[in-house]
Amino acid sequence: MFRALRHPPFRKLWALVILGQLGYWFSTIAFQWEVAHRTSNDPLALGLLYFCSLAPFLLFSLPAGMFADSRDRRRLIILVQVAATALAVTATLLAALAATSLPALMGLSFLAGCVATVLSPTSYALIANVVPMEDMASAVPLQSAGVNLARITGPALVGPVLIVGGSVSAFGAYAALSVAAVTLAARLAPSVRPAVPAPVESLWQRVTAGVSHARQRRPTMPALAVVATTSLFGSSYMAQLPLIGSRVSDNGETAFLTLVTLGGIGSLAGVLSVAWRGRRLGVASAAAQLAALGVVVGLIGVTQSFPLLTVLMILGGGLSFSIMTSVNSIVQHVVDDAQRGRVMSLYFICWGGLLPLGGLGLGSLVRLVDVGWAFACSGFLAVLSGLGIALRVRRSASHEAED
């Protein structure tokens, strides 16, 4: 499970990703905190914030993946972390001057999403340059585990910071973490395998080449379909956590931070379960987990019990990130390194790119009906999608075995 950590370049990359993700969670929770306060937990405003923070994955993932294939990945990560530092300093100054209006919060959230959009495919593509191929089955889940370790510790750390020092302190911590990430990125020197130089191609050629490569390398396309439907119907409930926390507790702010942390604990458990399984991963299994996640989402929308909600949050986080990490590992094993960045960008479009649409759709539905019916509808679609994909994948495997 931990053999990838034997390689010093991977250890540096792993620490760099954790620092970047800690900063991202500090900013994300601070943005949600501010919007929830300013709008009294309005579900549409929370959904709009979720849309702004993740829309860059939909808009810019493909160009980011192409940059990861055609540029020095180490230098690209350094530039991204420098941009994160500038963004964090700006957010800190605006918060200190009490100039963080609702449009400003949405805009800053969008820019933070742009930083994450470039960092995500680049850091995952860089894995192939810092560990040998036989250790990829360890490196990919470990990197995802690092992301989820930050997802647990980030909210746990930012909660007291927000309560004591407000958003100014949270954004200041984001700046400090970004500076630390820049320093570590400058010391990163891939040493196992250099990146394969990408041919000179137009933007359209790069896009079509990535899609064509994904279609040729089975089971990439059905795996990406699992990620897409998980983002649209399975994981979008995370945009409404401030509202869910206020429904089950008189202290909605503390409940919100607790729910985020519990989701992170479940996510880490889900990622480690993928690392423990190693290469015993399959698309049908991930699709079945999506169906189970749909049941959990439906229950989250109707429960009024905080103890039961804690269990559901752990299950939801575990299933979500077990699905994402399984698919990530499956895709990483079947693609060529020269196409890795752009194929991973397709993965992040299906994940982060569709999450804002799911979050905005769920928020709008909550406004139209109520939380219970909205979550039940989203959960039902997740169950239906998961079972449909699992059945199709198994039928395809059966036909190939007969041939």
Side-chain angles (χ1 to χ4, degrees):
M1 186 187 297
F2 301 103
R3 57 184 293 159
L5 290 173
R6 298 178 304 173
H7 308 286
F10 177 75
R11 292 200 298 268
K12 292 178 182 178
L13 176 63
W14 192 67
L16 162 66
V17 170
I18 290 176
L19 288 173
Q21 285 294 317
L22 276 174
Y24 174 76
W25 278 102
F26 264 73
S27 67
T28 297
I29 300 299
F31 289 138
Q32 280 190 307
W33 175 278
E34 286 286 342
V35 171
H37 269 268
R38 291 173 183 271
T39 65
S40 300
N41 293 316
D42 179 65
L44 185 58
L46 292 169
L48 182 59
L49 175 68
Y50 204 63
F51 179 86
C52 290
S53 64
L54 292 171
F57 281 97
L58 181 62
L59 299 175
F60 307 127
S61 282
L62 275 174
M66 294 169 193
F67 274 123
D69 286 337
S70 60
R71 300 290 189 274
D72 185 298
R73 292 167 182 169
R74 172 181 167 273
R75 292 181 182 179
L76 192 55
I77 284 182
I78 293 174
L79 290 175
V80 169
Q81 292 300 337
V82 169
T85 303
L87 172 64
V89 170
T90 301
T92 304
L93 291 175
L94 289 175
L97 296 172
T100 51
S101 63
L102 199 59
L105 289 169
M106 299 295 178
L108 290 170
S109 178
F110 179 82
L111 293 176
C114 290
V115 168
T117 298
V118 180
L119 180 63
S120 296
T122 305
S123 61
Y124 274 100
L126 189 57
I127 293 176
N129 307 127
V130 298
V131 299
M133 186 57 65
E134 59 267 22
D135 287 342
M136 287 286 286
S138 167
V140 172
L142 278 176
Q143 181 137 315
S144 295
V147 169
N148 285 286
L149 181 63
R151 187 170 182 243
I152 296 171
T153 57
L157 293 173
V158 75
V161 171
L162 281 169
I163 292 172
V164 175
S167 57
V168 177
S169 298
F171 290 131
Y174 177 29
L177 289 165
S178 298
V179 170
V182 169
T183 303
L184 194 56
R187 299 174 57 190
L188 184 64
S191 59
V192 176
R193 289 194 316 279
V196 177
V200 178
E201 301 171 303
S202 68
L203 177 62
W204 179 248
Q205 286 175 326
R206 291 177 180 181
V207 172
T208 55
V211 174
S212 177
H213 188 72
R215 294 180 65 181
Q216 293 170 4
R217 296 305 178 96
R218 296 181 180 180
T220 300
M221 295 307 289
L224 293 178
V226 172
V227 174
T229 49
T230 300
S231 297
L232 285 171
F233 310 123
S235 301
S236 54
Y237 70 91
M238 293 186 290
Q240 300 299 324
L241 288 187
L243 175 63
I244 295 298
S246 67
R247 292 177 69 242
V248 298
S249 173
D250 294 332
N251 190 342
E253 295 172 352
T254 301
F256 160 58
L257 296 172
T258 302
L259 294 178
V260 173
T261 303
L262 289 169
I265 292 172
S267 301
L268 181 61
V271 168
L272 291 177
S273 72
V274 176
W276 177 73
R277 283 181 285 165
R279 297 189 179 185
R280 301 188 302 274
L281 306 171
V283 177
S285 173
Q289 291 178 69
L290 170 58
L293 177 60
V295 176
V296 171
V297 170
L299 291 174
I300 289 175
V302 298
T303 184
Q304 298 289 332
S305 167
F306 189 76
L308 176 58
L309 186 59
T310 60
V311 176
L312 293 173
M313 286 301 303
I314 293 173
L315 288 174
L319 288 167
S320 294
F321 278 82
S322 175
I323 294 167
M324 300 301 180
T325 309
S326 296
V327 171
N328 190 327
S329 185
I330 291 168
V331 172
Q332 288 269 29
H333 271 92
V334 298
V335 301
D336 291 340
D337 189 64
Q339 302 285 339
R340 191 178 304 278
R342 67 196 74 184
V343 174
M344 290 309 299
S345 71
L346 294 175
Y347 167 87
F348 283 107
I349 285 176
C350 294
W351 173 60
L354 296 181
L355 267 176
L357 299 179
L360 187 59
L362 182 60
S364 302
L365 195 57
V366 170
R367 284 282 294 269
L368 289 174
V369 287
D370 64 16
V371 176
W373 280 107
F375 275 60
C377 180
S378 184
F380 174 75
L381 291 173
V383 171
L384 196 63
S385 300
L387 293 178
I389 295 173
L391 183 61
R392 183 171 181 178
V393 168
R394 286 174 178 169
R395 282 180 177 175
S396 177
S398 177
H399 291 161
E400 289 180 1
E402 291 176 359
D403 293 341

